[in-house]
Amino acid sequence: MTAFYNEIDPYAAQWLRNLIAAGAIAPGVVDERSVWDIAPEELDGFTQCHFFAGIGVWSRSLRRAGWPDDRPVWTASCPCQPFSVAGESRGFADERHAWPAVLWLVQARQPRTLFGEQVSSKDGLDWFDVVQADLDREGYIVGGLDTCAASVSAPHRRQRLYFVADSISEGLEGRREEPGHDEALLPPEAGGSSVPDSFWSDAEWVRCDDPGGPRWRPIEPRTFPLADGPPAFVGRLRAYGNALCAQQASEFVTARMQVGLSCA
C-alpha cells in the first residue's frame, strides 16, 4: 500500500514529503530522478505510481473521488511545455516530451489503470492521438475528455484534456472537441464575477497586461505581491502553476468509477 512519487523539481519533491508526513496524500516514497532513469523493476511493490507528481494533486484527487490508497493506479501528467501555446511549440521534437519514457514503463509493468492530463490545444490533441494509439497497441481501452476548471466552479478556464486507460475493462468513449478561447476575467469588485461558496470564493485578483489587452486572473489569497516578499513565494507559484486542478481531476476520476470499470 505504498506509493511511488517521481518528481524532478527539488522544491516540489520536498513538498511531497511534507504532504506524505502530514497524511494529506497516499503514503510513499519520493524519487527525484528523471523519469528516463527509472528502471521498471524499481517499481516492484508499489501499489500506486505517480510520475511528474508535482505537489501530489493526483493522489489527493483520487482520495477525494473515493479511490482507496490500496487500489492500484498510475498517473502521468507529462510536461505540457512542448505542446502549450505559451511555450515554444516544439512538440514531439522538444526534449521535455517524456511520453516515450512512460510508455516504456507501461509496457514493462502493465498497470491496470492509468490517469493523465495534458494541455488542451491542437498540439495537445495531437499528443493524445499518439498516446491513445500507443496504449491501444498495449491492450488498453482509452478515453479522454476535454474539460475546463470552470466546470467545477473555478473562476478561470484552465482547459485540459484528461484521459484514462484501463487494461482489463471497457473505458470511456473518447471525446474530441476543439478548445475554445479564454474569456477575459474581471475582478469580483469590477464585474461581479466572484464564485460564492466555492474553493475560490476568497481568491485575490491580479491585473495582467496581456498582448491582446488587460486580463484579471485569480491567485491564492495572501500570495500577493508576487515579485516581492519571501523567496518561497517563487517556488510556491511555480508549483501551483504546474499543478492540475484537484476538483477537476476528482470529478474525472469519479466519472470513471461510475461507469462500471473494474479496478480490482
Side-chain angles (χ1 to χ4, degrees):
M1 203 170 75
T2 302
F4 177 87
Y5 297 92
N6 173 243
E7 174 51 54
I8 197 171
D9 178 58
Y11 186 90
Q14 184 56 49
W15 197 330
L16 285 169
R17 296 186 182 98
N18 294 343
L19 290 170
I20 291 170
I25 58 177
V29 300
V30 180
D31 182 286
E32 295 186 36
R33 293 173 297 167
S34 166
V35 67
W36 293 93
D37 297 329
I38 300 172
E41 59 269 19
E42 295 181 271
L43 303 178
D44 283 343
F46 291 107
T47 305
Q48 297 188 2
C49 293
H50 303 288
F51 304 99
F52 320 104
I55 55 176
V57 180
W58 265 119
S59 177
R60 184 66 174 168
S61 299
L62 287 162
R63 280 185 166 186
R64 286 171 59 96
W67 190 290
D69 292 346
D70 62 354
R71 176 171 286 177
V73 68
W74 281 22
T75 68
S77 290
C78 294
C80 67
Q81 292 89 343
F83 307 98
S84 172
V85 294
E88 298 178 358
S89 299
R90 296 183 60 210
F92 298 104
D94 196 305
E95 62 183 10
R96 292 167 295 184
H97 171 47
W99 170 248
V102 176
L103 177 63
W104 178 57
L105 295 174
V106 168
Q107 290 170 328
R109 304 299 305 183
Q110 291 293 304
R112 293 179 180 179
T113 302
L114 170 68
F115 284 103
E117 54 86 38
Q118 181 57 270
V119 62
S120 179
S121 65
K122 182 181 182 302
D123 290 341
L125 292 172
D126 290 341
W127 175 89
F128 181 61
D129 284 340
V130 172
V131 170
Q132 188 170 25
D134 288 340
L135 291 173
D136 180 70
R137 284 191 294 271
E138 296 302 315
Y140 286 82
I141 302 297
V142 185
L145 180 64
D146 190 344
T147 182
C148 63
S151 67
V152 291
S153 299
H156 57 284
R157 190 158 195 148
R158 198 169 180 82
Q159 198 81 19
R160 290 294 184 271
L161 177 65
Y162 283 80
F163 74 89
V164 58
D166 197 284
S167 65
I168 57 176
S169 305
E170 293 184 357
L172 301 174
E173 180 68 19
R175 173 185 163 197
R176 307 292 180 82
E177 293 182 359
E178 286 297 321
H181 299 285
D182 285 345
E183 296 178 0
L185 294 173
L186 296 175
E189 61 272 19
S193 58
S194 60
V195 183
D197 302 322
S198 81
F199 181 80
W200 292 273
S201 58
D202 60 348
E204 294 178 2
W205 294 77
V206 178
R207 186 179 188 273
C208 305
D209 292 324
D210 287 14
R215 297 168 55 82
W216 290 87
R217 292 186 171 89
I219 63 170
E220 183 191 23
R222 296 171 296 280
T223 57
F224 188 81
L226 306 184
D228 301 321
F233 279 176
V234 176
R236 288 173 63 187
L237 290 168
R238 183 175 66 249
Y240 291 154
N242 287 333
L244 60 155
C245 172
Q247 292 80 1
Q248 191 178 4
S250 293
E251 288 298 319
F252 185 76
V253 174
T254 298
R256 183 253 186 232
M257 295 176 71
Q258 289 176 345
V259 296
L261 293 174
S262 171
C263 306

